[in-house]
Amino acid sequence: MASPEVAPPLSSWDVEVETLIIGAGACGLVAALAAQEAGQEVLLVEAEALPAGSTALSAGLIPAAGTAIQRAAGISDSAETFAEDIQKKAADENDPALVRALTEGAARVIDWLAERHDLPLSLVHDFDYPGHSRRRMHGLPSRSGAALVDALRALVEAAEIPLICERRAVVLHAEGARVSGATLARPDGGTESVGAGRIILACNGFGGNREMVRTHMPQIEHALWFGHDGNRGEAVTWGAALGARTRHLGAYQGHGNVAHPHGILITWATITEGGFQVNLGGRRFWDESQGYSEAARAVLAQPGGRAWTIFDHRIAAIARQFEDFKQAEAQGALHKAEEIEDLARLCGLPPGPLAETLAEIPRGGRDGFGRSWQTPPLAPPFYAAKVTGALFHTQGGLEVAPESALVKRTDGGTFANLYAAGGAACGVSGSGDSGYLSGNGLLAAVVLGEIAGRAGTA
């Protein structure tokens, strides 16, 4: 496929709509629902055969503070507290106005999806995610991103919003600060043109574009790519050609707990509930409580770029609420033994060092890496999963005006009718990997998607 291009407006279009949304992951689907409810004629296009995107590869959890679901569970939370957690994790590198827009809008979007659209969202209530001071992760019962995309797609279909798949946008037509439409490539090699009163870029980031990854985040270029291959960076490429502002292109979400060689995500609950990671010598090598995004680099720095995650039956029972974990177990990615030395032998680890590592973990105090241990000690039977580090999705992108999701221009102001949301826009994860707070990706996807969908429709 040719690189995405920018070209002048066409004299005529095959189709004309009020709002064209490029990308049908969670972001685009939410934007479509919001735009139609705001009275817009909407066309949603997707490059793949079925909507999926990065959302389908995640646990589908959306963080939000002050929701009706939280209140029903007796959890006191606020947008201000949520914002403090985000900024603390990212060392205050985020635009405060964007953080405020996302944290204030998250509860609105969750309540809208749950109450108006009847999505059976519930809280993850039995463990805490690193960096979150409250339990605020909302998801479907399966804790599956694929199920979330399917549910949103069903809502779009029920609303009779046109969704056309296998249509990749290859040209954005614009003049000055105004876009006028896009040219779409069909599977048969032909093209179609769509004129639009406004365009929402919901086509995610650039993790699937290895050249862009090497340019902007070389420290992770050799990691397993665990995102959607359709994330090729069209939004950033178009933005560069149009004179759009970008920010934090080196920011990304990694994950250091992907089963190898199975390629299945092992939930970080295996760590937060009291598990730990060891290298091939059976020794711990870092403070796992920093988070799963940082874990990608930590694991990849070990011999062979591999590590073992060690946990127990209590933690496994918690982890089984996640579909990915159940798949990993069914595919033989987990080892289990009554004695830690036997577990070591099953994993090809030296039994002595692994047993010593387990014995050295303090209870009710901090270890030499700085991790605080307040969880129950691991008890038989023990479990282990061989893991590697992966790149999940990029967090930098086009700068947008938080109140509207309109793309900002390098010469000041915003484009008149070009919007970006989700992975196409700069998120709130700071400038690298350590600023990623669990759920930041879907937070930006659904909240900016909803803002963009409703914007400019008054």
Side-chain angles (χ1 to χ4, degrees), residues 50-73:
L50 287 172
S54 294
T55 303
L57 299 171
S58 74
L61 298 176
I62 306 166
T67 65
I69 296 170
Q70 275 186 315
R71 291 193 296 273

Side-chain angles (χ1 to χ4, degrees), residues 25 34-35 96 114 121 131 136 138 222 224 226 256 288 312 344 347 418:
L121 298 169
R136 57 172 73 105
H138 299 71
H222 298 300
L224 172 70
F226 204 79
E288 302 94 339
D312 68 3
C347 300
L418 178 64

Side-chain angles (χ1 to χ4, degrees), residues 184-246:
L184 314 178
R186 300 194 308 258
D188 63 6
T191 61
E192 297 166 346
S193 63
V194 179
R198 64 193 195 111
I199 294 178
I200 299 174
L201 301 178
C203 43
N204 216 292
F206 56 87
N209 185 322
R210 303 312 294 178
E211 182 178 348
M212 292 181 73
V213 170
R214 280 192 296 273
T215 298
H216 299 292
M217 48 193 68
Q219 70 276 23
I220 201 73
E221 67 169 307
H222 298 300
L224 172 70
W225 167 233
F226 204 79
H228 193 273
D229 285 337
N231 296 354
R232 301 178 185 176
E234 289 96 335
V236 171
T237 302
W238 282 321
L242 289 167
R245 289 171 60 177
T246 59

Side-chain angles (χ1 to χ4, degrees), residues 77-95:
D77 199 2
S78 69
E80 292 76 18
T81 300
F82 188 10
E84 289 173 2
D85 289 346
I86 288 176
Q87 291 290 58
K88 181 179 180 181
K89 190 70 167 66
D92 290 315
E93 291 183 327
N94 300 312
D95 174 8

